[in-house]
Amino acid sequence: MDEEKKELSLTEDQAQQVPAEAKDEEEVQSAAETAQDLKEETAAEETAEEEKEMETTEPTAEPVAEEAPVQTAAPTKSGSNIVGIIVGLLVFIGVLALCWKMVGPVGEVHADKGIAYAKDNNLYIYDLENDAYVAAEGISAGGQYNQYYSAWGTTFNEDGSGLYYSTNVRTDGTFDLYYKGVGADSEGVLVGEAVADYMPTKDGAAAIFVKTAVDGSTDLYQFVNGTTALVESNILPESGSYAISNDGSFVMYRKSGDNGTALYAKGTAQGEEAVCLHENAATAMMTSDTDEIYFAGKEGEGYAAFVYAFGAEPVKIMDAVTYLEVMPNGKDVLLMGPSEELVTYDAIIEDDVAESDALLTEADGEAYQAKLQRDAIRTAMEGGEGFESVLQNVYIYSNGELKQVASDTISAVSIKNDRPYAVCFAAGDMEKMQLSQVPSLQDAENGYYMSLMYAEPKILVVNATGGSWQLEGKNISPANVFLSDDGTTVGYYETDTLTGVTMLNVAKLGAVPSFTMENVEVAGFLGHTTNVGYFRDYQNGLGTMGVWDGGDPVEVEGIGGVHFAVDQNAVYYINNIDQQNGNGELHVMANGEDTLIDTGVYSMQYKYNGKLAYLKNYDYTANKGDLYYYDGKESKEIDTGITAIFMY
């Protein structure tokens, strides 16, 4: 039951790896492979090989409602930080969040939306005012549609007036997709049968979806003005390879062509023709705020970054791009490109034997021959010779301007915030090698890569205006940095590599931490404040929840479920859990006050604006419980014996 009470959600840093050199259009070396190829004899035992291109994109909608980034989580306690990459770009990996899903889309205002739930294999809707009703019969046709107390399968539009939902879920995971208004008198409209994935517009007026054809290829369809039509056959099936604009006026998709993976845009109006934006685009993504398409297209030996507005021509914004990521605010873009500066030998080698070497003659035999080898290195040092840097420059494209915000970095990734902030994994300070210990220029180069791997890195927070702040501490996990809504305060984790203990640090940008806490599993800023909610010491299904508002933290032990609201200065939690049935007390801690909402509660789903749906009197052997709605003031029973609340 403990496993049922916690949600293990794999997070993705929404980033896009762009290959520096492609093997072919679809098979590209990952960062680790690039390092292996460049310095195999140096890094063979330190660098893990990736077998194929790591290409993570902005997620399309699963049969889910709204995309919801997962609460920033502490690094897994594996005994080491997965940051020992020698050269190339660091591919940030996902980490496990040990609590329920906690964070909504950054900077968005949420309307109150109804509750979709399953009972007796039927879909029910409660619109928050009228009695719940059966919206569709036969959710499952042998396929799985729920996971414990929650489920995917419905997508409410932004104002809550309508929703997409799936029925007839087959054993292969495909389903029939419908759209309807939330009212009981609204009829469901069939969008498509045997659908594998779909993505609606925010207002729900249009959607795209994909189906698998008889030959195994993937076909893209649109649902616009109540009519379904084929957009294109045999598109690239990967998540992120297709998208629809907010107003439903055009779609984007990628498709294999003669010269690589081609990128297309096509209007959804009848008779519109597809426009090829690039014949070989390594990656492409559409911004959620401005409906622009950013992509990296092959140019010569490398890739260039472009931006496209529907109906116009693509505009190049950067040459030699190695990384491209639309930032969480849905409009700005994070990019990386190679440093153009050489790593000069005189910058990494110190001549510690100049005086003694000057005294050597041919009569000194082997010592003199070794001196001649060092002389060759000295000549290279004095001549300003060196080798190409593997470090990267970091850029942010904002308001039509490209600005370099960091240099000498190994990787960078956006921070979830409405403002354009990013965190950079930058090269640390390295001591010079002693010439007496460097037999050749090749050994000097190898020694540089080893130093780069073992030097303590600098973790920087940067923004589009050129601000840069280094975080205090060692063994910091750069992929798990989180920022307050106003951009003034940062939270991050550092790990003791000997003990595996994880420490949460909270600090003003540019300052030393003002709050630290050990063994924190997950944490986040509450609403628009700089108050921090955290969950620590998770073991055997229970942990300790805490709230820090600048003074002494307030903690509650024995917590089985916790939710940190991103739109409210509030934490919702369940404690005093009955070990026989898993039901406990549901509380909200807001503005320093703790309120008991209900007892006998098994799980909850936060619905924004201080409102909740939750399951009470849950029988985990029968997988049934009673559904309640909390409107911020009082609770109301909606139905009994339900099997799942559909997440939106």
Side-chain angles (χ1 to χ4, degrees), residues 217-289:
S217 63
T218 299
D219 296 340
L220 178 66
Y221 292 81
Q222 68 179 41
F223 176 72
V224 180
N225 297 324
T227 301
T228 295
L230 177 69
V231 176
E232 184 62 84
S233 299
N234 197 23
I235 71 164
L236 203 66
E238 282 82 357
S239 175
S241 291
Y242 42 88
I244 185 169
S245 62
N246 284 319
D247 61 3
S249 63
F250 73 99
V251 299
M252 172 201 88
Y253 60 90
R254 297 168 67 206
K255 181 176 182 177
S256 295
D258 295 336
N259 298 311
T261 302
L263 172 65
Y264 293 88
K266 184 179 181 181
T268 56
Q270 186 175 3
E272 290 278 355
E273 296 290 333
V275 176
C276 182
L277 306 184
H278 202 286
E279 292 185 346
N280 190 350
T283 181
M285 56 195 75
M286 187 183 295
T287 59
S288 60
D289 185 75

Side-chain angles (χ1 to χ4, degrees), residues 62 151 208 210 252 255 262 279 348 431 531 581 611 640:
E62 300 284 334
I208 55 175
V210 294
M252 172 201 88
K255 181 176 182 177
E279 292 185 346
I348 63 174
E431 294 183 4
N531 299 340
N581 56 35
K611 299 171 183 179
T640 60

Side-chain angles (χ1 to χ4, degrees), residues 97-413:
L98 294 180
C99 297
W100 293 326
K101 186 155 293 196
M102 297 181 182
V103 173
V106 175
E108 292 190 7
V109 176
H110 296 271
D112 289 338
K113 299 178 183 179
I115 303 171
Y117 63 94
K119 178 180 178 180
D120 300 326
N121 198 32
N122 297 327
L123 175 71
Y124 284 72
I125 300 295
Y126 171 60
D127 65 6
L128 308 185
E129 294 181 0
N130 303 296
D131 292 338
Y133 66 94
V134 177
E137 297 181 348
I139 300 175
S140 173
Q144 184 79 6
Y145 70 86
N146 72 298
Q147 297 175 345
Y148 306 122
Y149 56 87
S150 64
W152 301 112
T154 62
T155 308
F156 282 86
N157 60 4
E158 59 187 346
D159 65 4
S161 62
L163 75 157
Y164 288 85
Y165 61 90
S166 54
T167 64
N168 195 27
V169 180
R170 301 160 178 82
T171 55
D172 63 0
T174 62
F175 51 89
D176 296 341
L177 180 64
Y178 287 81
Y179 181 76
K180 71 178 298 296
V182 296
D185 57 350
S186 174
E187 294 291 332
V189 176
L190 177 64
V191 176
E193 296 179 320
V195 173
D197 183 28
Y198 74 98
M199 177 187 295
T201 57
K202 289 183 178 180
D203 63 6
I208 55 175
F209 62 93
V210 294
K211 299 175 62 174
T212 302
V214 176
D215 62 1
S217 63
T218 299
D219 296 340
L220 178 66
Y221 292 81
Q222 68 179 41
F223 176 72
V224 180
N225 297 324
T227 301
T228 295
L230 177 69
V231 176
E232 184 62 84
S233 299
N234 197 23
I235 71 164
L236 203 66
E238 282 82 357
S239 175
S241 291
Y242 42 88
I244 185 169
S245 62
N246 284 319
D247 61 3
S249 63
F250 73 99
V251 299
M252 172 201 88
Y253 60 90
R254 297 168 67 206
K255 181 176 182 177
S256 295
D258 295 336
N259 298 311
T261 302
L263 172 65
Y264 293 88
K266 184 179 181 181
T268 56
Q270 186 175 3
E272 290 278 355
E273 296 290 333
V275 176
C276 182
L277 306 184
H278 202 286
E279 292 185 346
N280 190 350
T283 181
M285 56 195 75
M286 187 183 295
T287 59
S288 60
D289 185 75
T290 61
D291 284 340
E292 294 172 304
I293 298 174
Y294 287 89
F295 64 93
K298 187 72 179 287
E299 285 204 347
E301 296 300 317
Y303 291 80
F306 297 84
V307 59
Y308 169 78
F310 185 61
E313 292 294 324
V315 176
K316 184 190 293 187
I317 60 175
M318 181 176 164
D319 290 306
V321 64
T322 55
Y323 184 91
L324 172 65
E325 172 192 345
V326 171
M327 304 184 83
N329 61 15
K331 55 186 176 182
D332 298 317
V333 180
L334 179 68
L335 308 103
M336 295 181 69
S339 172
E340 297 179 356
E341 297 182 1
L342 287 178
V343 178
T344 58
Y345 293 113
D346 68 318
I348 63 174
I349 301 173
E350 182 177 59
D351 192 346
D352 62 327
V353 288
E355 293 183 2
S356 58
D357 276 2
L359 302 176
L360 295 174
T361 66
E362 292 184 14
D364 292 305
E366 291 183 2
Y368 181 74
Q369 294 301 316
K371 178 255 186 191
L372 294 180
Q373 289 180 312
R374 289 191 289 269
D375 283 345
I377 299 175
R378 290 187 178 100
T379 300
M381 293 170 62
E382 293 167 359
E385 296 180 32
F387 49 94
E388 186 177 346
S389 175
V390 296
L391 297 177
Q392 305 284 303
N393 294 330
V394 180
Y395 305 82
I396 293 179
Y397 184 75
S398 179
N399 296 321
E401 295 184 2
L402 183 70
K403 185 178 182 63
Q404 182 176 329
V405 295
S407 59
D408 295 333
T409 64
I410 298 172
S411 66
V413 70

Side-chain angles (χ1 to χ4, degrees), residues 559-570:
I559 302 298
V562 61
H563 178 101
F564 305 139
V566 295
D567 63 336
Q568 305 278 328
N569 181 20

